[in-house]
Amino acid sequence: MRVLLPLLLVAHAAAFAPSPALLSSSLASRSGALSASRVAAREPKRLSLRMGEPLKSIELKHPSGSSATVYPFGATVTSYKAPHEVLFVRPDAKFDGSKPISGGIPHCFPQFGPGKIQQHGFARNLVWNVKDVSADEPDMPSVTLELTETEETMAMWPNKFKCTYVVGLDEEKLNCELRVTNTDSKPWDFQAALHTYFAVSNIDKCEVRGAFKGSEHLNRMDKPPSKTKESREAIRFDKEVDSCYEGVSGQVVLFDEVKPEQSVTIRNLAGWEDTVLWNPYGNEGMGYKNFACVESVKAAKPAVLAAGETWISRVSIIPGAAK
């Protein structure tokens, strides 16, 4: 197998492998949950498993007091506390499997936005298999989830694949690594994103800082969408925003002017090449006032994988505004 980017090595032990349930409002029905006795027998030290109704979730806890909650449904991280809550879940979010979880860190794969298949692809609609929950390294509890093709996904997107997602919690940051492998005998391309919702005190009193000035800016709010050069160094939300900044990656900071200590740094380390900003300004039902989506994206130029190749992305979410 040929790997396109160097791997981030994370030690794992104490395998936690529930049955390969598949859940999708449009693709398949939900299978039964694990028994409590099986969970207790295989639960690693310092990691607790909470059985949700009807969705289950895994909670990672770090000795420093930080924590993260991960749902196998959509492989969605819904909470990261360090110690304040860094992420945001919309008030209209559903946790019954009837639709993707609206908030936290949802996945977009193999399509970003609208296109030939359903909006943002199918990865956020499916239950990922929990391959491992690890407490090998006391300072880095983690969970590994995996998604592969099924008859249902092949009917929509006729390509064989394996997605491996590792969420790791250390003292100062949340680390997310997504690996996409072409397990087919032919090449194919795809788009992907982490559609991250970050909590803010007031959407009118925050800004996103990064290498935006001079970048290609696709404004999806224009009819039709327009592409221009961005003239601003920092982006504010004073109206509905849906903007893709091609080639803007690296370090991006969401600065909270009301509570600067609750600002957050998004450090894209590999794979993610674009940044998307989104807020449904004025939509009270979505809770627009208290979140900003700052998304790590690979979409402007889709990734192309030959048979056996692997694409790797890594991002760290760091509480506070890094210099």
Side-chain angles (χ1 to χ4, degrees), residues 160-161 180-188 305-310:
K160 296 180 180 180
F161 68 92
V180 178
T181 299
N182 181 348
T183 59
D184 216 325
S185 59
K186 65 180 187 297
W188 43 255
L305 293 179
E309 285 189 332
T310 296

Side-chain angles (χ1 to χ4, degrees), residues 10-14 44 47 60 132-137 140-144:
V10 180
H12 298 289
L47 297 177
L60 303 177
D132 193 48
V133 179
S134 173
D136 283 348
E137 302 179 24
M140 185 71 164
S142 64
V143 58
T144 301

Side-chain angles (χ1 to χ4, degrees), residues 81-93:
K81 295 178 180 177
H84 65 276
E85 181 58 70
V86 175
L87 304 177
F88 180 85
V89 175
R90 284 171 21 192
D92 62 339

Side-chain angles (χ1 to χ4, degrees), residues 164-181:
T164 305
Y165 188 47
V166 181
V167 179
L169 183 66
D170 70 21
E171 185 174 0
E172 298 181 344
K173 58 186 179 293
L174 182 73
N175 300 308
C176 301
E177 177 187 275
L178 175 65
R179 300 191 293 267
V180 178
T181 299

Side-chain angles (χ1 to χ4, degrees), residues 3 5 24 50 54 59 64 90 125 146 149 212-213 226 231 233 260 310 319:
V3 176
L5 292 169
S24 171
R50 295 190 294 106
E59 187 169 338
S64 66
R90 284 171 21 192
N125 293 333
E146 183 180 279
E149 79 281 349
F212 294 105
K213 189 173 183 178
S226 65
S231 60
E233 294 183 352
T310 296

Side-chain angles (χ1 to χ4, degrees), residues 189-265:
D189 61 66
F190 70 95
Q191 297 171 313
L194 297 180
H195 195 305
T196 310
Y197 290 70
F198 290 104
V200 297
S201 302
N202 185 334
I203 193 65
D204 295 307
K205 296 182 179 180
C206 69
E207 66 179 22
V208 185
R209 303 169 180 175
F212 294 105
K213 189 173 183 178
S215 66
E216 289 287 338
H217 169 217
L218 177 63
N219 186 349
R220 300 185 191 188
M221 296 309 302
D222 286 346
K223 304 297 182 187
S226 65
K227 184 179 289 189
T228 60
K229 291 284 186 181
E230 180 56 72
S231 60
R232 298 168 292 178
E233 294 183 352
I235 313 301
R236 302 188 69 89
F237 300 88
D238 55 5
K239 58 184 176 181
E240 188 170 356
V241 172
D242 187 358
S243 297
C244 178
Y245 292 91
E246 297 180 22
V248 176
S249 188
Q251 184 166 289
V252 179
V253 174
L254 174 58
F255 187 76
D256 190 318
E257 296 169 352
V258 178
K259 296 181 178 180
E261 70 277 8
Q262 294 190 15
S263 301
V264 62
T265 299

